[in-house]
Amino acid sequence: MTLKLELSGDTEIVGTRRFAASPARVFTAHTDPDLLSKWMTGPEGWVMTVCESVAKPGGALVCTWRDEEGNEFSLRGHYLEVETPHRLVHVERWDGSEDMVDTEVETLFEPDGNGTLLTIRMRYPNKDARDAALASGMAEGMEVSYARVDAL
């Protein structure tokens, strides 16, 4: 059950991963700020110090991370669409990145046997932004975090 990333066109990355929990539980892990702050911490040594998630159209999504040396970065955005427990669409901007571009993210939570197939489609404004995201090591950070969802 590891994250698989594929390119789609010049501006998209599509990720898929299976979880051994129901779509409702995986959806809640992606929207509840108390749960988000427990699993979405990326590589070891980082903690989430701020987590705001108001999962409704127009609702805020704000996360800030800090490492042991005091380095910090943030994600800021808002929800566009929320179809509990099947689909989320939000816009995000990574404040710690040099490019600081808006990315639209669609996340689907589909029943898959006794679990969930998660599909995440990240739409970047251009190919350079997409390639920079891939080069940042995002796949490793995402998988480390998703493994924590399994533990929840």
Side-chain angles (χ1 to χ4, degrees):
M1 288 197 262
T2 59
L3 177 68
K4 178 182 174 186
L5 292 181
E6 296 180 342
L7 302 182
S8 177
D10 287 339
T11 61
E12 294 185 354
I13 301 170
V14 178
T16 55
R17 191 179 192 288
R18 288 179 167 69
F19 294 92
S22 70
R25 290 183 61 136
V26 179
F27 182 94
T28 299
H30 279 76
T31 56
D32 181 290
D34 291 332
L35 294 175
L36 276 168
S37 64
K38 290 179 179 156
W39 71 263
M40 201 165 88
T41 57
E44 293 300 321
W46 287 88
V47 295
M48 189 181 292
T49 58
V50 174
C51 186
E52 180 181 346
S53 173
V54 181
K56 65 181 184 179
L61 177 62
V62 179
C63 302
T64 301
W65 293 266
R66 183 176 297 134
D67 71 5
E68 298 160 342
E69 298 169 4
N71 298 307
E72 193 171 270
F73 67 96
S74 297
L75 173 151
R76 299 179 188 283
H78 62 278
Y79 291 96
L80 299 173
E81 300 175 45
V82 177
E83 299 171 22
T84 307
H86 308 288
R87 183 172 175 261
L88 292 171
V89 180
H90 72 275
V91 173
E92 64 185 31
R93 174 180 287 219
W94 292 90
D95 292 340
S97 70
E98 294 178 16
D99 296 330
M100 294 192 301
V101 297
D102 288 347
T103 304
E104 183 178 298
V105 180
E106 177 184 38
T107 308
L108 303 175
F109 306 84
E110 300 173 288
D112 183 43
N114 292 328
T116 300
L117 172 63
L118 178 133
T119 302
I120 184 167
R121 181 175 297 274
M122 297 162 275
R123 296 179 183 101
Y124 295 87
N126 55 59
K127 183 180 185 307
D128 290 341
R130 184 209 57 194
D131 292 348
L134 278 174
S136 73
M138 70 183 281
E140 295 83 10
M142 289 175 72
E143 178 51 35
V144 167
S145 291
Y146 282 151
R148 292 185 189 108
V149 173
D150 286 329
L152 291 176

